């Protein structure tokens, strides 16, 4: 059974930083894409960032470009999201996702989801 366990969320002041982690287990994830979505109260779910298996290709939402960095450690089956210069509008539940296909992730329908971790940015 595949499990994605996120950690690193919390409360931070505007301008601060947080680093999210997501450890995947339950199967072999060779050639799988990993990424992060977020959903704020009353808003639609939003793709934040995606990273290829090799880590050489990344995709970011315009709203986080230049502030967030996605990375992964395949030896640990773990994906990270370094979030800098946080803004109150970054407040949301952040979800880790894994899928074999980038297009599926971009379409918003990745196969595997984590349980989510809350990020709250105070002004």
């Amino acid at each position: 059974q595949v499990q994605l366990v996120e950690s690193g969320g919390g409360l931070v002041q505007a301008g601060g930083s947080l680093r999210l982690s997501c450890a995947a287990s339950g199967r072999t994830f060779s050639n799988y894409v990993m990424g992060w979505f977020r959903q704020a109260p009353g808003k639609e779910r939003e793709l934040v960032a995606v990273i290829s298996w090799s880590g050489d290709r990344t995709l970011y939402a315009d709203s986080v470009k230049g502030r967030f960095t996605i990375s992964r450690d395949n030896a640990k089956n773990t994906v990270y999201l370094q979030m800098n210069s946080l803004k109150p509008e970054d407040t949301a539940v952040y979800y880790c996702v894994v899928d074999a296909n980038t297009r599926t992730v971009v379409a918003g329908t990745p196969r595997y989801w984590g349980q989510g971790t809350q990020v709250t940015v105070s002004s």
Side-chain angles (χ1 to χ4, degrees), residues 40-105:
K43 294 189 176 181
E44 291 189 357
R45 191 170 53 200
E46 174 188 24
L47 175 63
V48 177
V50 183
I51 187 167
S52 62
W53 163 253
S54 61
D56 62 343
R57 287 171 291 167
T58 56
L59 175 69
Y60 294 94
D62 287 343
S63 57
V64 306
K65 281 181 182 176
R67 300 187 298 120
F68 290 12
T69 302
I70 189 170
S71 61
R72 65 190 290 169
D73 183 340
N74 290 335
K76 297 179 179 179
N77 283 337
T78 298
V79 63
Y80 306 96
L81 186 68
Q82 178 65 44
M83 305 185 294
N84 298 329
S85 301
L86 282 162
K87 304 175 181 179
E89 51 263 44
D90 294 318
T91 295
V93 177
Y94 284 70
Y95 298 92
C96 169
V97 299
V98 175
D99 197 280
N101 191 311
T102 301
R103 277 181 283 187
T104 304
V105 175

